[in-house]
Amino acid sequence: MTTLHFEKALLPGGWAENVTIGVTDDGFIHSLETDAESAGISFVPGVALPGMANLHSHAFQRALAGLGEVSGTATKSGKPDSFWSWRTVMYDFLAALQPEDISAIALKLYVDMLKAGYTTVAEFHYLHHDTQGNAYSDPAEMSARVIAAALEAGIGITHLPVLYSHGGFAGKPAQPDQRRFLNGLDDFMTIVTALHTEYGAMPGVRIGIAPHSLRAVTPDLLGAAVSALNQLDATAPIHIHIAEQTREVDECLAWSGKRPVEWLLENQSIDQRWCLIHATHMSDEETDALAASKAVAGLCPTTEANLGDGLFPAHRFLEKGGVIGIGSDSHISVNLKEELRWLEYGQRLFTRQRAVLSGGPQKSTARRLYDAALIGGARACGQPIGALEVGKRADLIVLDCSTSPLYGRSDDAILDSWIFGCDTNPVRDVYVAGRHIVQGGHHGLDQIAEKQFQDMLKRRFK
Ligand SMILES: [Zn+2]
């Protein structure tokens, strides 16, 4: 057993001083004491917060960050650059990607996530097959590579193999450049079952599924996949991209007469095991119904801004009791602070008001968003995380408050100064399951991960 002592920590009941946390050998909090004596205990200066879940990641896309920013690189037809033109750049890159490339990208990404303050990641994994679209000898090869990288880096992972069968609504055939993603139900469940058998009982790992989108699965296939998952684990997380783009909404209306979120709520039992990624374009009725469902809205503000998706109706959704979490998705930014900052800034720019998501007078905006994202992240990952309390995994981060702009700040002002006022990264220490993974801002694999990532870049961009 390990015992840690913090001068200040954010607990479910609020801020507390002189907090002693006892951690079992398997990484769970078994005791928690406030206003405690620190004598003889490992003292950690700074402010402890629960580690954050990054609930939406496509690891391989990290290697592309910054490469979709030149106008007209993909659309030579003269159409405006859009999500769909960016997607062409992304497809071109992954056409040649090899298993060892995935390993290198994921390791570097997960090391960087930990240093940013993310202690668990939900990996929405759709790159299954070889460059020709054939299954590897181990059909779960790419998934195994990603999980291995997470275990090596020391980050918790909820792995979500993606079911991708079609190229558009009504079972439209997929395109050749989607060949590495495609599975029917049986082949998909072969992957899911193998992963569940291999990793289902492993600490820090959870296996769920991700039907890619309503474009990529038919209603029958979606229902069959959920039923098949229930045979393995009836509480496992289910994530789906939805209503990210207005074109998707228009196509869904043309196909079904319903908007995407509306259709999903009417045709599946949507509850807290579901995470709807983006859900950007919703009517007020959809927003209210999704909030009432207790499903998580998985928001990815930096990616949604980068791809020109639109603005999620965050104020209404939160006021209706909706649950949100954050993800870095395309990894244009791997920065917890930026996700929360731009979640709020998007609303400010749209409404021309301030502190839009604070939740009421005299409330801290950053505190409300941090608390909300902890709850949603834990729910979406289906793991015992998201709070410093007995029974939860000992995943926590420590902010260095010895220099400005955090110096001298107290309680919620610490969070506000970090999220809105900090240009450097104050995350100094990170613990996952009680293991001291990031120390003084450094991860033990920093140099190895950077070297492997650079080698990958030489191979793929020579
Ligand atoms: Zn995504």
Side-chain angles (χ1 to χ4, degrees), residues 56 58 241 277-278 329:
H56 191 61
H58 307 290
H241 289 131
I277 304 299
H278 306 303
D329 193 358

Side-chain angles (χ1 to χ4, degrees), residues 50 52 64 96 146 153 165 186 210 236 240-241 313 328 335 342-343 358 374 393 395 406-407 430:
M52 183 62 71
L64 282 173
V146 169
S165 299
D186 290 347
I240 186 169
H241 289 131
S328 56
N335 188 326
W342 282 99
L343 177 57
S358 65
L374 286 173
R393 197 163 71 218
D395 290 4
L406 301 191
Y407 178 79
V430 177

Side-chain angles (χ1 to χ4, degrees), residues 111-393:
V111 165
D112 288 346
M113 277 190 194
L114 285 159
K115 292 163 71 175
Y118 293 117
T119 46
T120 299
V121 60
E123 184 66 36
F124 196 108
H125 177 83
Y126 57 87
L127 187 59
H128 297 300
H129 304 318
D130 70 14
T131 55
Q132 301 307 307
N134 300 314
Y136 287 102
S137 55
D138 171 6
E141 163 90 34
M142 289 300 213
S143 287
R145 294 271 182 167
V146 169
I147 296 171
L151 294 172
E152 188 177 1
I155 195 169
I157 185 166
T158 294
H159 190 77
L160 305 157
V162 168
L163 177 57
Y164 203 126
S165 299
H166 300 285
F169 288 97
K172 184 177 166 188
Q175 304 164 16
D177 54 9
Q178 295 167 331
R179 64 189 176 278
R180 302 192 70 178
F181 319 153
L182 304 176
N183 281 301
L185 181 67
D186 290 347
D187 289 340
F188 174 67
M189 286 310 299
T190 297
I191 293 173
V192 176
T193 304
L195 293 172
H196 190 264
T197 302
E198 179 81 19
Y199 302 102
M202 191 174 286
V205 182
R206 186 91 196 254
I207 305 297
I209 64 167
H212 178 272
S213 59
L214 296 180
R215 303 191 307 272
V217 295
T218 60
D220 286 350
L221 195 52
L222 177 60
V226 172
S227 296
L229 176 65
N230 288 344
Q231 300 299 312
L232 291 175
D233 181 351
T235 63
I238 305 169
H239 292 210
I240 186 169
H241 289 131
I242 199 155
E244 180 178 8
Q245 289 282 316
T246 53
R247 185 173 114 183
E248 178 189 342
V249 177
D250 294 342
E251 290 175 354
C252 191
L253 279 165
W255 163 64
S256 68
K258 305 284 185 183
R259 301 168 60 82
V261 173
E262 179 186 20
W263 187 93
L264 189 69
L265 289 167
E266 288 184 7
N267 289 277
Q268 284 291 321
S269 299
I270 302 301
D271 59 16
Q272 58 185 7
R273 69 189 290 213
W274 284 76
C275 179
L276 277 61
I277 304 299
H278 306 303
T280 309
H281 300 287
M282 294 192 290
S283 66
D284 286 350
E285 292 74 20
E286 287 175 295
T287 304
D288 298 353
L290 181 60
S293 77
K294 300 304 176 195
V296 179
L299 309 179
C300 310
T302 60
T303 291
E304 288 155 7
N306 185 263
L307 296 180
D309 289 342
L311 277 177
F312 176 80
H315 181 262
R316 184 180 183 102
F317 187 72
L318 288 171
E319 292 308 301
K320 295 288 181 178
V323 180
I324 62 166
I326 53 166
S328 56
D329 193 358
S330 70
H331 311 301
I332 188 68
S333 173
V334 183
N335 188 326
L336 192 170
K337 165 190 72 190
E338 290 292 336
E339 300 303 337
L340 295 179
R341 179 185 287 182
W342 282 99
L343 177 57
E344 167 68 17
Y345 278 180
Q347 305 295 313
R348 291 188 189 188
L349 289 164
F350 185 71
T351 62
R352 286 173 283 167
Q353 297 174 9
R354 300 190 68 254
V356 179
L357 302 179
S358 65
Q362 304 304 310
K363 297 277 182 65
S364 153
T365 305
R367 171 70 188 282
R368 203 237 189 150
L369 293 177
Y370 201 87
D371 282 349
L374 286 173
I375 293 168
R379 185 175 296 182
C381 290
Q383 299 211 29
I385 55 174
L388 300 182
E389 64 183 355
V390 172
K392 292 286 199 303
R393 197 163 71 218

